[in-house]
Amino acid sequence: MGENRINLNEPRFDQGTYTGRAKHFFNTTNPLNLFASGADLEKAKLLVNQYRQGIEPSGTTDDQVWRAKNLYDSAFHPDTGEKMFMLGRMSAQVPVNMTITGCMMTFYRTTPAVIFWQWFNQSFNAVVNYTNRSGDSPISTGRLGLSYALGTSVATGTAVGLNHLVKSAPPIVGRYVPFVAVCAANCINIPCMRNTEISQGIPVFTEDGTRVGDSPAAAKRAISQVLLSRIVMACPGMWIPPVIMQRMEKGAFLKKYPMMNAPIQVGLVGFFLIFATPLCCALFPQKSSMAASALEDDLKQKLKDLGKSEDRVYFNKGL
């Protein structure tokens, strides 16, 4: 095998820089990946596995390998290698979230509509959190149900309660209630969904890929990074469209065609999510790291037993 072979254990772009991570996630979250057939995904997986073994078909180019790797990464879990449920893949984030968020921000005035769309959003979040859980930690049905129930309760309770409180406030204030509800639910849903990781830890590795063990400290750091990314990701699409829609609803077009309110709002949210999703996923490296000194004592000892003098250890933060 040649000396200039691609290292498929690492993304194509430098993950040590924000720009490199952003390019990586623009590929991973590309909604067009959803249109890949099962056969296309299996073909990409086969080529990736063949290349890893050095037995890829003669004449295979680097671009072909990277295209296969991008498609593979968009559909298969980075730790388990299992094909992920379609709606849980990161490539589904923009089309699904733009629809849900746009509807949450359109139908926010009545309690039944608020409850329905907050429930729908938390149902989708539960699917995403489960599909993109870090490491190989199983999530029990009970844990999944508890997280789902808590997230839905907090989201709907926050939205209904705030709607009641802001009735006398300027109309624009009510448009931001869905954002507050989404943030509150994320703060409950994500830690609860990944509570097993907090108690049992997630796999941590040395720079050369040697597994040291499972670290609760790494899990807490991973979850906090994911939580911050999710909240920041929601900001552009839930902060800017309300201002635009507030002005548009006073104009002649929406007064004449009120049914266009939801499609326009969904389109606006989608425009911002196309950029916000990959840019916010890139806030922290997917292969994140922490100081070895922050590990639990037994893992510090394990590093010594392995003969490793590492300053940092690495882990998959999840999404």
Side-chain angles (χ1 to χ4, degrees):
M1 291 188 290
E3 296 181 359
N4 296 320
R5 291 183 64 80
I6 299 169
N7 179 9
L8 291 184
N9 293 324
E10 300 292 339
R12 183 174 193 174
F13 306 104
D14 181 8
Q15 298 299 285
T17 68
Y18 178 75
T19 301
R21 295 195 297 273
K23 289 179 179 178
H24 169 71
F25 280 110
F26 266 107
N27 284 330
T28 303
T29 63
N30 185 352
L32 295 178
N33 289 332
L34 286 175
F35 293 101
S37 66
D40 291 334
L41 295 178
E42 291 302 325
K43 188 181 299 183
K45 181 179 181 180
L46 176 62
L47 181 55
V48 168
N49 288 335
Q50 287 177 330
Y51 191 86
R52 289 185 189 279
Q53 300 172 50
I55 57 173
E56 72 278 4
S58 177
T60 300
T61 66
D62 285 357
D63 282 341
Q64 289 175 324
V65 174
W66 278 122
R67 280 197 296 272
K69 182 65 162 56
N70 288 337
L71 196 55
Y72 174 85
D73 286 346
S74 76
F76 295 89
H77 193 280
D79 291 335
T80 65
E82 296 177 356
K83 185 187 292 185
M84 296 183 287
F85 177 56
M86 180 175 287
L87 292 182
R89 299 174 192 171
M90 292 309 293
S91 50
Q93 286 289 294
V94 171
V96 179
N97 263 330
M98 65 185 279
T99 303
I100 296 174
T101 304
C103 289
M104 279 197 298
M105 295 168 64
T106 301
F107 309 110
Y108 68 93
R109 292 183 175 91
T110 66
T111 299
V114 167
I115 292 174
F116 174 79
W117 285 108
Q118 291 294 340
W119 163 79
F120 200 97
N121 185 48
Q122 291 309 312
S123 298
F124 175 62
N125 283 343
V127 170
V128 173
N129 292 338
Y130 179 81
T131 304
N132 293 283
R133 64 200 183 280
S134 177
D136 48 14
S137 304
I139 297 179
S140 67
T141 304
R143 175 61 56 186
L144 178 62
L146 177 61
S147 173
Y148 174 60
L150 285 175
T152 303
S153 299
V154 170
T156 55
T158 301
V160 172
L162 285 178
N163 272 345
H164 179 74
L165 290 175
V166 303
K167 279 183 178 179
S168 58
I172 187 68
V173 175
R175 293 179 180 274
Y176 289 101
V177 168
F179 171 73
V180 179
V182 165
C183 291
N186 275 333
C187 290
I188 298 296
N189 195 321
I190 294 174
C192 183
M193 176 70 70
R194 296 174 61 174
N195 183 64
T196 302
E197 298 176 22
I198 296 175
S199 60
Q200 299 180 9
I202 58 174
V204 292
F205 303 86
T206 60
E207 189 172 9
D208 64 7
T210 302
R211 180 165 177 162
V212 180
D214 296 335
S215 169
K220 293 173 184 176
R221 182 163 303 201
I223 291 168
S224 64
Q225 291 177 351
V226 169
L227 180 56
L228 179 59
S229 296
R230 293 278 185 91
I231 291 175
V232 176
M233 189 186 300
C235 289
M238 300 189 82
W239 282 7
I240 301 173
V243 177
I244 298 173
M245 295 306 298
Q246 182 79 0
R247 293 184 178 180
M248 288 190 68
E249 286 181 5
K250 296 177 182 178
F253 180 77
L254 283 182
K255 286 181 179 178
K256 186 175 181 180
Y257 304 103
M259 293 297 292
M260 291 301 297
N261 190 306
I264 291 174
Q265 191 133 234
V266 168
L268 284 172
V269 172
F271 172 78
F272 289 108
L273 280 178
I274 285 174
F275 300 98
T277 300
L279 292 177
C280 291
C281 284
L283 288 176
F284 303 99
Q286 183 65 37
K287 182 181 177 182
S288 197
S289 67
M290 61 185 288
S293 59
L295 285 171
E296 292 76 12
D297 290 339
D298 61 321
L299 295 186
K300 292 179 185 176
Q301 185 59 48
K302 180 73 176 296
L303 272 174
K304 291 182 180 179
D305 294 342
L306 290 170
K308 304 288 185 179
S309 56
E310 305 282 324
D311 292 328
R312 304 194 70 78
V313 291
Y314 299 84
F315 55 89
N316 172 33
K317 70 177 175 65
L319 290 171

